[in-house]
Coordinates of all heavy atoms in Angstrom, one line a residue:
M255 N 0.9 -1.2 0.0 CA 0.0 0.0 0.0 C 0.9 1.2 0.0 O 1.8 1.4 0.8 CB -0.9 0.0 1.3 CG -1.9 1.1 1.3 SD -3.0 1.1 2.8 CE -4.1 -0.2 2.3
S256 N 0.7 2.2 -0.9 CA 1.5 3.4 -1.0 C 1.1 4.3 0.1 O 0.1 4.2 0.8 CB 1.3 4.0 -2.4 OG 0.0 4.6 -2.4
Q257 N 2.0 5.3 0.3 CA 1.7 6.4 1.3 C 0.4 7.0 1.1 O -0.4 7.3 2.1 CB 2.9 7.4 1.3 CG 4.2 6.9 1.7 CD 4.3 6.7 3.2 OE1 3.5 7.2 4.0 NE2 5.4 6.1 3.7
I258 N 0.1 7.4 -0.1 CA -1.2 8.1 -0.4 C -2.4 7.2 -0.1 O -3.4 7.6 0.5 CB -1.2 8.5 -1.9 CG1 -0.1 9.6 -2.1 CG2 -2.5 9.1 -2.3 CD1 0.1 10.0 -3.5
E259 N -2.3 5.9 -0.5 CA -3.4 5.0 -0.3 C -3.6 4.8 1.2 O -4.7 4.7 1.7 CB -3.1 3.7 -0.9 CG -3.2 3.7 -2.4 CD -2.7 2.4 -3.1 OE1 -1.9 1.7 -2.5 OE2 -3.2 2.1 -4.2
L260 N -2.5 4.7 2.0 CA -2.6 4.5 3.4 C -3.2 5.8 4.1 O -4.1 5.6 4.9 CB -1.2 4.3 4.0 CG -1.1 4.0 5.5 CD1 -1.9 2.8 5.9 CD2 0.3 3.9 5.9
Y261 N -2.8 6.9 3.6 CA -3.4 8.2 4.2 C -4.9 8.3 3.9 O -5.7 8.6 4.7 CB -2.6 9.4 3.5 CG -3.0 10.7 4.0 CD1 -2.6 11.1 5.3 CD2 -3.8 11.6 3.3 CE1 -3.0 12.4 5.8 CE2 -4.2 12.8 3.7 CZ -3.7 13.2 5.0 OH -4.1 14.5 5.4
Q262 N -5.2 7.9 2.6 CA -6.7 8.0 2.2 C -7.5 6.9 3.0 O -8.6 7.2 3.4 CB -6.8 7.7 0.7 CG -6.3 8.9 -0.1 CD -6.3 8.6 -1.6 OE1 -6.4 7.4 -2.0 NE2 -6.3 9.7 -2.4
S263 N -6.9 5.8 3.3 CA -7.6 4.7 4.0 C -7.8 5.2 5.5 O -8.9 5.0 6.0 CB -6.7 3.5 4.0 OG -7.3 2.5 4.9
I264 N -6.8 5.8 6.1 CA -7.0 6.3 7.4 C -8.1 7.4 7.5 O -8.9 7.4 8.4 CB -5.6 6.9 8.0 CG1 -4.7 5.7 8.2 CG2 -5.8 7.6 9.3 CD1 -3.3 6.1 8.5
L265 N -8.0 8.3 6.5 CA -9.1 9.4 6.5 C -10.5 8.8 6.3 O -11.4 9.3 6.9 CB -8.7 10.4 5.4 CG -7.5 11.3 5.7 CD1 -7.3 12.2 4.5 CD2 -7.7 12.1 6.9
L266 N -10.6 7.8 5.4 CA -11.9 7.2 5.2 C -12.4 6.6 6.5 O -13.6 6.7 6.9 CB -11.8 6.1 4.1 CG -13.0 5.4 3.7 CD1 -14.1 6.4 3.2 CD2 -12.7 4.3 2.7
K267 N -11.5 5.9 7.2 CA -11.9 5.3 8.5 C -12.3 6.3 9.5 O -13.3 6.1 10.3 CB -10.8 4.3 9.0 CG -10.7 3.1 8.2 CD -9.5 2.3 8.5 CE -9.3 1.1 7.6 NZ -8.0 0.5 7.7
L268 N -11.5 7.4 9.6 CA -11.9 8.5 10.5 C -13.2 9.1 10.2 O -14.0 9.4 11.1 CB -10.8 9.6 10.5 CG -9.5 9.2 11.2 CD1 -8.5 10.3 10.9 CD2 -9.7 9.0 12.7
G269 N -13.5 9.2 8.9 CA -14.8 9.7 8.5 C -16.0 8.9 8.9 O -17.1 9.3 9.0
Q270 N -15.8 7.6 9.1 CA -16.8 6.6 9.5 C -17.1 6.6 11.0 O -18.0 6.0 11.4 CB -16.5 5.3 8.9 CG -16.5 5.2 7.4 CD -15.9 3.9 6.9 OE1 -15.5 3.0 7.7 NE2 -16.0 3.7 5.6
L271 N -16.2 7.1 11.8 CA -16.3 7.1 13.2 C -17.4 8.0 13.7 O -17.5 9.1 13.2 CB -15.0 7.4 13.9 CG -13.8 6.4 13.7 CD1 -12.5 7.0 14.4 CD2 -14.1 5.1 14.4
P272 N -18.1 7.6 14.8 CA -19.0 8.6 15.4 C -18.2 9.7 16.1 O -17.1 9.5 16.6 CB -19.8 7.7 16.4 CG -18.9 6.5 16.6 CD -18.1 6.3 15.4
T273 N -18.8 10.9 16.2 CA -18.1 12.0 16.8 C -17.7 11.8 18.2 O -16.7 12.3 18.7 CB -18.9 13.3 16.7 OG1 -20.2 13.1 17.3 CG2 -19.1 13.7 15.2
A274 N -18.4 10.9 18.9 CA -18.1 10.6 20.3 C -16.7 9.9 20.4 O -16.1 10.0 21.5 CB -19.2 9.8 20.9
S275 N -16.3 9.3 19.4 CA -15.0 8.5 19.4 C -13.8 9.4 19.0 O -12.7 9.0 19.2 CB -15.1 7.3 18.5 OG -16.1 6.5 18.9
L276 N -14.1 10.6 18.5 CA -13.0 11.4 18.0 C -12.0 11.8 19.1 O -10.8 11.9 18.9 CB -13.5 12.6 17.2 CG -14.2 12.2 15.9 CD1 -14.7 13.5 15.2 CD2 -13.3 11.4 15.0
A277 N -12.5 12.1 20.3 CA -11.6 12.5 21.4 C -10.7 11.4 21.7 O -9.5 11.6 22.0 CB -12.5 12.9 22.6
E278 N -11.1 10.1 21.7 CA -10.3 9.0 22.0 C -9.2 8.8 20.9 O -8.1 8.6 21.2 CB -11.2 7.7 22.1 CG -10.4 6.5 22.5 CD -11.4 5.3 22.7 OE1 -12.6 5.5 22.7 OE2 -10.8 4.2 22.6
V279 N -9.6 9.0 19.7 CA -8.7 8.9 18.6 C -7.6 10.0 18.7 O -6.4 9.8 18.5 CB -9.4 9.0 17.2 CG1 -8.4 9.1 16.0 CG2 -10.3 7.7 17.0
D280 N -8.1 11.2 19.0 CA -7.1 12.3 19.1 C -6.1 12.1 20.2 O -4.9 12.3 20.1 CB -7.9 13.6 19.4 CG -7.0 14.8 19.5 OD1 -6.3 15.1 18.6 OD2 -7.1 15.5 20.6
A281 N -6.6 11.5 21.4 CA -5.7 11.2 22.5 C -4.6 10.1 22.0 O -3.5 10.2 22.4 CB -6.5 10.7 23.7
F282 N -5.1 9.1 21.3 CA -4.2 8.1 20.8 C -3.2 8.6 19.9 O -2.0 8.4 20.0 CB -5.1 7.0 20.1 CG -4.2 5.9 19.5 CD1 -3.6 5.0 20.2 CD2 -4.1 5.9 18.1 CE1 -2.8 4.0 19.6 CE2 -3.3 4.9 17.5 CZ -2.7 4.0 18.2
L283 N -3.6 9.5 18.9 CA -2.6 10.1 18.0 C -1.7 11.0 18.7 O -0.5 11.1 18.3 CB -3.4 10.8 16.9 CG -4.2 9.9 15.9 CD1 -5.0 10.8 15.0 CD2 -3.3 8.9 15.2
S284 N -2.1 11.7 19.7 CA -1.3 12.6 20.5 C -0.2 11.8 21.2 O 1.0 12.2 21.2 CB -2.1 13.4 21.5 OG -2.9 14.2 20.9
E285 N -0.5 10.6 21.7 CA 0.5 9.8 22.4 C 1.5 9.3 21.4 O 2.7 9.3 21.7 CB -0.2 8.6 23.0 CG -0.9 8.9 24.3 CD 0.1 9.4 25.4 OE1 1.2 8.8 25.6 OE2 -0.2 10.5 26.0
I286 N 1.1 8.9 20.2 CA 2.0 8.5 19.2 C 3.0 9.6 18.8 O 4.2 9.4 18.7 CB 1.3 7.9 17.9 CG1 0.5 6.6 18.2 CG2 2.3 7.7 16.8 CD1 -0.3 6.1 17.1
A287 N 2.4 10.8 18.6 CA 3.3 11.9 18.2 C 4.2 12.3 19.3 O 5.4 12.6 19.1 CB 2.4 13.1 17.9
K288 N 3.8 12.2 20.6 CA 4.6 12.5 21.7 C 5.8 11.5 21.8 O 6.9 11.9 22.1 CB 3.8 12.4 23.0 CG 4.5 13.1 24.2 CD 3.7 12.9 25.5 CE 2.3 13.5 25.4 NZ 1.5 13.4 26.6
K289 N 5.6 10.3 21.6 CA 6.7 9.3 21.6 C 7.7 9.5 20.5 O 8.9 9.4 20.7 CB 6.1 7.9 21.4 CG 5.3 7.3 22.6 CD 4.8 6.0 22.4 CE 3.9 5.5 23.5 NZ 3.3 4.2 23.3
K290 N 7.2 9.9 19.3 CA 8.1 10.2 18.2 C 9.0 11.4 18.5 O 10.2 11.4 18.3 CB 7.3 10.4 17.0 CG 8.2 10.6 15.7 CD 7.6 9.9 14.6 CE 8.4 10.1 13.3 NZ 9.4 9.0 13.2
T291 N 8.4 12.5 19.1 CA 9.1 13.7 19.5 C 10.1 13.4 20.6 O 11.3 13.8 20.5 CB 8.1 14.8 20.0 OG1 7.2 15.0 18.9 CG2 8.9 16.0 20.3
H292 N 9.7 12.6 21.5 CA 10.7 12.2 22.6 C 11.9 11.4 22.1 O 13.0 11.7 22.5 CB 9.9 11.4 23.7 CG 10.8 10.9 24.8 ND1 11.4 11.8 25.7 CD2 11.3 9.7 25.1 CE1 12.1 11.1 26.6 NE2 12.1 9.8 26.2
H293 N 11.6 10.5 21.1 CA 12.7 9.7 20.5 C 13.7 10.6 19.8 O 14.9 10.5 19.9 CB 12.1 8.7 19.6 CG 13.1 7.8 18.9 ND1 13.9 6.9 19.6 CD2 13.5 7.8 17.6 CE1 14.7 6.4 18.8 NE2 14.5 6.8 17.6
K294 N 13.1 11.6 19.1 CA 14.0 12.6 18.3 C 14.9 13.3 19.3 O 16.1 13.5 19.1 CB 13.2 13.5 17.5 CG 12.7 12.9 16.2 CD 11.9 14.0 15.4 CE 11.4 13.5 14.1 NZ 10.6 14.5 13.4
K295 N 14.3 13.8 20.4 CA 15.1 14.6 21.4 C 16.1 13.7 22.0 O 17.3 14.2 22.2 CB 14.1 15.2 22.5 CG 13.3 16.3 22.0 CD 12.4 16.8 23.1 CE 11.4 17.9 22.7 NZ 10.5 18.3 23.8
S296 N 15.8 12.5 22.3 CA 16.8 11.6 22.9 C 17.9 11.3 22.0 O 19.1 11.3 22.4 CB 16.1 10.3 23.3 OG 17.0 9.4 23.8
R297 N 17.6 11.1 20.7 CA 18.7 10.8 19.7 C 19.5 12.1 19.6 O 20.7 12.0 19.4 CB 18.0 10.4 18.4 CG 19.0 9.8 17.4 CD 18.3 9.2 16.2 NE 17.6 10.3 15.5 CZ 16.5 10.1 14.8 NH1 16.0 8.9 14.7 NH2 16.0 11.1 14.1
Y298 N 18.9 13.3 19.6 CA 19.7 14.5 19.4 C 20.7 14.7 20.6 O 21.8 15.0 20.4 CB 18.7 15.7 19.3 CG 19.4 17.0 19.4 CD1 20.1 17.5 18.3 CD2 19.4 17.8 20.5 CE1 20.7 18.8 18.3 CE2 20.0 19.0 20.6 CZ 20.7 19.5 19.4 OH 21.3 20.7 19.5
K299 N 20.2 14.4 21.8 CA 21.0 14.6 23.0 C 22.2 13.6 22.9 O 23.3 14.0 23.3 CB 20.2 14.4 24.3 CG 19.3 15.5 24.6 CD 18.5 15.3 25.9 CE 17.6 16.4 26.2 NZ 16.8 16.1 27.4
T300 N 21.9 12.4 22.5 CA 23.0 11.4 22.4 C 24.0 11.8 21.4 O 25.3 11.8 21.6 CB 22.4 10.0 22.0 OG1 21.5 9.6 23.0 CG2 23.5 9.0 21.9
H301 N 23.6 12.3 20.2 CA 24.5 12.8 19.2 C 25.3 14.0 19.7 O 26.5 14.1 19.5 CB 23.7 13.1 17.9 CG 24.6 13.5 16.8 ND1 25.5 12.7 16.2 CD2 24.7 14.7 16.2 CE1 26.2 13.3 15.2 NE2 25.7 14.6 15.2
L302 N 24.6 14.9 20.3 CA 25.3 16.1 20.9 C 26.4 15.7 21.9 O 27.5 16.3 21.9 CB 24.3 17.1 21.5 CG 24.8 18.4 22.0 CD1 25.5 19.2 20.8 CD2 23.7 19.2 22.6
A303 N 26.0 14.8 22.7 CA 27.0 14.3 23.8 C 28.2 13.7 23.1 O 29.4 13.9 23.6 CB 26.3 13.3 24.7
Q304 N 28.1 13.0 22.0 CA 29.2 12.4 21.4 C 30.1 13.5 20.8 O 31.3 13.4 20.9 CB 28.7 11.5 20.2 CG 28.1 10.2 20.7 CD 27.4 9.4 19.6 OE1 27.3 9.9 18.5 NE2 27.1 8.2 19.9
I305 N 29.5 14.5 20.2 CA 30.3 15.6 19.7 C 31.0 16.4 20.8 O 32.2 16.7 20.7 CB 29.4 16.6 18.8 CG1 28.9 15.8 17.6 CG2 30.2 17.8 18.4 CD1 27.9 16.6 16.8
A306 N 30.3 16.7 21.8 CA 30.9 17.5 22.9 C 32.0 16.7 23.6 O 32.9 17.3 24.1 CB 29.8 17.8 23.9
G307 N 31.8 15.4 23.7 CA 32.8 14.5 24.3 C 34.2 14.6 23.7 O 35.2 14.4 24.3
A308 N 34.2 15.0 22.4 CA 35.5 15.1 21.7 C 36.3 16.2 22.2 O 37.5 16.2 22.1 CB 35.2 15.3 20.2
W309 N 35.7 17.3 22.7 CA 36.4 18.4 23.2 C 37.3 18.1 24.4 O 38.3 18.7 24.7 CB 35.5 19.6 23.5 CG 34.8 20.1 22.3 CD1 35.2 20.0 21.0 CD2 33.7 21.0 22.3 NE1 34.3 20.6 20.2 CE2 33.4 21.3 21.0 CE3 32.8 21.5 23.3 CZ2 32.3 22.1 20.6 CZ3 31.8 22.3 22.9 CH2 31.5 22.6 21.6
K310 N 36.8 17.2 25.2 CA 37.6 16.9 26.5 C 38.9 16.3 26.2 O 39.8 16.3 27.0 CB 36.8 15.9 27.4 CG 36.6 14.5 26.8 CD 35.8 13.7 27.8 CE 35.6 12.3 27.2 NZ 34.8 11.5 27.9
D311 N 39.1 15.8 25.0 CA 40.4 15.2 24.6 C 41.4 16.3 24.1 O 42.6 16.0 23.9 CB 40.2 14.1 23.5 CG 39.4 12.9 24.0 OD1 39.4 12.7 25.2 OD2 38.8 12.3 23.2
W312 N 40.9 17.5 23.8 CA 41.8 18.5 23.3 C 42.6 19.1 24.5 O 42.1 19.2 25.6 CB 41.0 19.7 22.7 CG 40.2 19.3 21.5 CD1 40.2 18.1 20.9 CD2 39.4 20.2 20.7 NE1 39.4 18.2 19.8 CE2 38.9 19.4 19.6 CE3 39.1 21.5 20.8 CZ2 38.1 20.0 18.7 CZ3 38.2 22.1 19.9 CH2 37.7 21.3 18.8
D313 N 43.8 19.5 24.2 CA 44.6 20.2 25.2 C 44.1 21.7 25.2 O 43.4 22.1 24.3 CB 46.1 20.1 25.0 CG 46.6 20.7 23.7 OD1 45.8 21.4 23.0 OD2 47.8 20.5 23.4
D314 N 44.6 22.4 26.2 CA 44.1 23.8 26.4 C 44.4 24.7 25.2 O 43.6 25.5 24.8 CB 44.7 24.4 27.7 CG 44.1 23.8 28.9 OD1 43.0 23.1 28.8 OD2 44.7 23.9 30.0
K315 N 45.6 24.5 24.7 CA 46.0 25.4 23.5 C 45.1 25.1 22.3 O 44.7 26.1 21.6 CB 47.4 25.1 23.1 CG 48.4 25.7 24.1 CD 49.8 25.4 23.6 CE 50.9 26.0 24.6 NZ 52.2 25.7 24.2
E316 N 44.8 23.9 22.0 CA 43.9 23.5 20.9 C 42.5 24.1 21.1 O 41.9 24.7 20.2 CB 43.8 22.0 20.8 CG 44.8 21.3 19.9 CD 44.5 19.9 19.7 OE1 44.2 19.2 20.8 OE2 44.5 19.4 18.6
F317 N 42.0 23.9 22.3 CA 40.7 24.4 22.6 C 40.6 26.0 22.6 O 39.6 26.5 22.0 CB 40.2 23.9 24.0 CG 38.7 24.2 24.3 CD1 37.8 23.5 23.5 CD2 38.3 25.1 25.2 CE1 36.4 23.8 23.8 CE2 37.0 25.3 25.5 CZ 36.0 24.7 24.7
D318 N 41.6 26.6 23.1 CA 41.6 28.1 23.0 C 41.7 28.6 21.6 O 41.1 29.6 21.2 CB 42.8 28.7 23.8 CG 42.6 28.5 25.3 OD1 41.4 28.4 25.7 OD2 43.6 28.6 26.1
A319 N 42.5 27.9 20.8 CA 42.6 28.2 19.3 C 41.3 28.1 18.6 O 40.8 28.9 17.8 CB 43.7 27.4 18.7
F320 N 40.6 27.0 19.0 CA 39.2 26.8 18.4 C 38.3 27.9 18.8 O 37.6 28.4 17.9 CB 38.7 25.4 18.9 CG 37.2 25.2 18.6 CD1 36.8 24.9 17.4 CD2 36.3 25.3 19.7 CE1 35.4 24.7 17.1 CE2 35.0 25.1 19.4 CZ 34.5 24.8 18.1
L321 N 38.3 28.3 20.1 CA 37.4 29.4 20.5 C 37.8 30.7 19.9 O 36.9 31.5 19.4 CB 37.5 29.5 22.0 CG 36.9 28.4 22.9 CD1 37.1 28.6 24.3 CD2 35.4 28.2 22.5
D322 N 39.1 31.0 19.7 CA 39.5 32.2 19.1 C 39.0 32.2 17.6 O 38.6 33.3 17.1 CB 41.0 32.4 19.1 CG 41.5 32.7 20.5 OD1 40.7 33.1 21.4 OD2 42.7 32.4 20.8
T323 N 39.2 31.1 16.9 CA 38.8 31.0 15.5 C 37.3 31.2 15.4 O 36.8 32.0 14.5 CB 39.2 29.7 14.9 OG1 40.6 29.5 15.1 CG2 38.8 29.6 13.5
T324 N 36.5 30.6 16.3 CA 35.1 30.8 16.3 C 34.7 32.2 16.5 O 33.8 32.8 15.8 CB 34.4 29.9 17.4 OG1 34.8 28.5 17.1 CG2 32.9 29.9 17.3
R325 N 35.3 32.9 17.5 CA 35.0 34.3 17.8 C 35.3 35.2 16.6 O 34.6 36.0 16.2 CB 35.8 34.8 19.0 CG 35.2 34.3 20.3 CD 35.9 35.0 21.5 NE 35.7 34.1 22.6 CZ 36.7 33.4 23.2 NH1 37.9 33.4 22.7 NH2 36.4 32.7 24.2
Q326 N 36.5 34.9 15.9 CA 36.9 35.7 14.8 C 35.9 35.5 13.6 O 35.5 36.5 13.0 CB 38.3 35.3 14.4 CG 38.8 36.1 13.2 CD 40.2 35.6 12.7 OE1 40.7 34.7 13.3 NE2 40.7 36.2 11.7
I327 N 35.5 34.3 13.4 CA 34.5 34.1 12.3 C 33.2 34.8 12.5 O 32.6 35.4 11.7 CB 34.3 32.6 12.1 CG1 35.6 31.9 11.5 CG2 33.1 32.3 11.2 CD1 35.6 30.4 11.5
R328 N 32.7 34.7 13.8 CA 31.5 35.4 14.1 C 31.6 36.9 14.0 O 30.7 37.6 13.5 CB 31.1 35.0 15.5 CG 30.5 33.6 15.6 CD 30.1 33.3 17.0 NE 29.6 32.0 17.1 CZ 29.3 31.4 18.2 NH1 29.4 32.0 19.4 NH2 28.8 30.1 18.2
Q329 N 32.7 37.5 14.4 CA 32.9 38.9 14.3 C 32.9 39.3 12.8 O 32.4 40.3 12.5 CB 34.2 39.3 15.0 CG 34.1 39.3 16.5 CD 35.4 39.6 17.2 OE1 36.5 39.6 16.5 NE2 35.4 39.8 18.5
E330 N 33.6 38.6 12.0 CA 33.7 38.9 10.6 C 32.3 38.8 9.9 O 32.0 39.5 9.0 CB 34.7 38.0 9.9 CG 36.2 38.3 10.3 CD 37.1 37.3 9.8 OE1 36.7 36.4 9.0 OE2 38.3 37.4 10.1
M331 N 31.5 37.8 10.3 CA 30.2 37.6 9.7 C 29.3 38.8 10.0 O 28.5 39.2 9.1 CB 29.6 36.3 10.3 CG 30.1 35.1 9.8 SD 29.5 33.6 10.6 CE 27.7 33.8 10.3
F332 N 29.4 39.4 11.1 CA 28.4 40.4 11.5 C 29.1 41.8 11.5 O 28.4 42.8 11.7 CB 27.8 40.1 12.8 CG 27.0 38.9 12.8 CD1 27.5 37.7 13.4 CD2 25.8 38.8 12.2 CE1 26.8 36.5 13.4 CE2 25.1 37.6 12.2 CZ 25.6 36.5 12.8
A333 N 30.3 42.0 11.2 CA 31.0 43.3 11.2 C 30.4 44.1 10.0 O 30.3 43.5 8.9 CB 32.5 43.1 11.1
G334 N 30.1 45.3 10.2 CA 29.7 46.2 9.1 C 28.2 46.0 8.8 O 27.7 46.7 7.9
R335 N 27.5 45.2 9.5 CA 26.0 45.0 9.2 C 25.3 46.0 10.1 O 25.6 46.2 11.3 CB 25.6 43.6 9.5 CG 26.0 42.6 8.5 CD 25.3 41.3 8.8 NE 25.6 40.4 7.7 CZ 25.0 39.2 7.6 NH1 24.1 38.8 8.4 NH2 25.3 38.4 6.6
E336 N 24.3 46.7 9.5 CA 23.5 47.6 10.3 C 22.2 46.9 10.6 O 21.7 46.1 9.8 CB 23.3 48.9 9.4 CG 24.5 49.6 9.1 CD 24.2 50.9 8.3 OE1 23.1 51.3 8.3 OE2 25.2 51.4 7.8
F337 N 21.7 47.3 11.8 CA 20.4 46.8 12.2 C 19.3 47.8 11.7 O 19.4 49.0 12.0 CB 20.4 46.7 13.7 CG 19.0 46.2 14.2 CD1 18.6 44.9 14.1 CD2 18.2 47.1 14.9 CE1 17.4 44.5 14.6 CE2 17.0 46.7 15.3 CZ 16.6 45.4 15.2
S338 N 18.4 47.2 11.0 CA 17.3 48.1 10.6 C 16.0 47.4 10.9 O 15.6 46.4 10.2 CB 17.4 48.4 9.1 OG 17.4 47.2 8.3
P339 N 15.3 47.8 11.9 CA 14.0 47.1 12.3 C 12.9 47.3 11.2 O 12.8 48.4 10.6 CB 13.6 47.7 13.6 CG 14.3 49.0 13.6 CD 15.5 48.9 12.8
N340 N 12.2 46.3 10.9 CA 11.1 46.4 9.9 C 9.8 46.7 10.6 O 8.9 45.8 10.7 CB 11.0 45.1 9.1 CG 12.2 44.9 8.3 OD1 12.9 45.8 7.9 ND2 12.6 43.6 8.1
I341 N 9.7 47.8 11.2 CA 8.5 48.2 12.0 C 7.6 49.1 11.2 O 8.0 50.0 10.5 CB 8.8 48.8 13.3 CG1 9.5 47.7 14.2 CG2 7.5 49.2 14.1 CD1 10.0 48.2 15.5

């Protein structure tokens, strides 16, 4: 079954439900969406921790050089830009 057919099948079944059941379906779908969002956040935190963990292996000179380079790049990116609010 293709994605479109599956989507249409779900919508057809939802259309056949009595309105009294829609609150229950909404709660069920909310739980599914919440689990998916939680899984994404957990995976993001794990990935971020792996990247951040690499910094602990750097010596102080390397880390300071990294910070200096980052600061310099940021300053160059925004130097000479004027702020003009669109009000």
Side-chain angles (χ1 to χ4, degrees):
M255 183 179 283
S256 72
Q257 292 282 351
I258 294 172
E259 291 172 331
L260 183 60
Y261 184 75
Q262 289 173 341
S263 172
I264 291 169
L265 289 178
L266 181 63
K267 290 172 186 167
L268 285 174
Q270 296 172 353
L271 291 175
T273 55
S275 300
L276 292 180
E278 187 178 340
V279 171
D280 183 55
F282 174 73
L283 293 174
S284 295
E285 283 299 314
I286 292 174
K288 195 183 303 182
K289 288 178 185 176
K290 184 140 180 92
T291 302
H292 177 71
H293 179 69
K294 282 183 181 178
K295 287 180 183 177
S296 175
R297 194 171 63 209
Y298 173 76
K299 286 181 181 178
T300 302
H301 183 65
L302 184 61
Q304 290 172 347
I305 293 170
W309 294 343
K310 69 181 178 186
D311 296 336
W312 293 2
D313 65 9
D314 289 341
K315 287 182 182 180
E316 272 185 313
F317 190 68
D318 288 339
F320 168 75
L321 291 178
D322 290 340
T323 304
T324 303
R325 283 188 204 108
Q326 181 182 0
I327 291 170
R328 287 183 180 169
Q329 286 174 351
E330 290 172 2
M331 286 174 56
F332 297 105
R335 289 191 173 187
E336 294 181 18
F337 177 73
S338 57
N340 296 329
I341 297 177

